[in-house]
Amino acid sequence: MKRAQIHFTESIFVLLILIIIIFIGIVITFVFFNRYLTEKEETIQQTDTITLTDSIIRMPEFTCGKADNCIDDQKVFAFGQLYENTFSQEEKAYYERFFKNRRITLHIIYPEVTIQDAKCVPEPTIIKDPNTPYPLNCGWFLLYGQEEEPENALIAENPVQLYFPLLNKKALGILRIEVIQ
């Protein structure tokens, strides 16, 4: 009787160890698979964001004619005002589907601006610094999204040329897309 109990106990311990090993294998597989899916999602978001930067540069809503990688500041202002005041729900839904959960800004790099953190607004309402003319008295334009910077965001940047048709001047800028996570 004692021998049978010992064999039975040994069998139970072997099965218990086998179950623990299988459970550890499943947990490890799940952790690696989850990490793989997270990396794949980030890669897809990066590719999607890079594609979006290229699309924005070529959108007639923002481009300055036939010039490559050129964005017109007056078109940016007009788009913002139309989006806020004039667009129907269907038009807003189109841009919300296109831009998704992103904040899209345009930062002036050269010539150097005096107030980097000031948002550019349509020219008649600029009173920030009377000694510095527009566009050097503001640092960035908001194309789409919220005004404040998100804390945790995937960022894609692309250099662009800015055109100021009222001044007939050009500047160098960075189109920044922040994917809000």
Side-chain angles (χ1 to χ4, degrees), residues 59-82:
M59 288 176 78
E61 290 93 331
F62 304 119
T63 61
C64 46
K66 297 181 181 184
D68 287 338
N69 290 353
C70 183
I71 294 181
D72 186 330
D73 78 318
Q74 294 302 304
K75 286 187 177 183
V76 170
F77 293 140
F79 177 80
Q81 289 174 348
L82 287 172

Side-chain angles (χ1 to χ4, degrees), residues 52-64 69-84 87 91-92 95-96 98-108 118-122 134 139-148 156 158-164 173-178:
L52 182 61
T53 60
D54 193 44
S55 298
I56 289 171
I57 291 171
R58 289 170 178 35
M59 288 176 78
E61 290 93 331
F62 304 119
T63 61
C64 46
N69 290 353
C70 183
I71 294 181
D72 186 330
D73 78 318
Q74 294 302 304
K75 286 187 177 183
V76 170
F77 293 140
F79 177 80
Q81 289 174 348
L82 287 172
Y83 187 83
E84 290 298 320
F87 281 174
E91 292 169 320
K92 285 184 178 182
Y95 286 105
E96 288 169 4
F98 188 73
F99 295 135
K100 299 179 185 169
N101 60 334
R102 294 178 172 91
R103 177 178 183 256
I104 304 168
T105 55
L106 186 59
H107 298 263
I108 301 171
K119 178 185 171 190
C120 296
V121 293
Y134 175 80
W140 60 279
F141 298 87
L142 179 67
L143 274 71
Y144 180 82
Q146 59 193 17
E147 286 208 27
E148 60 276 349
N158 197 8
V160 293
Q161 182 179 31
L162 292 166
Y163 179 59
F164 305 100
I174 296 278
L175 178 66
R176 176 182 286 173
I177 298 181
E178 299 165 274

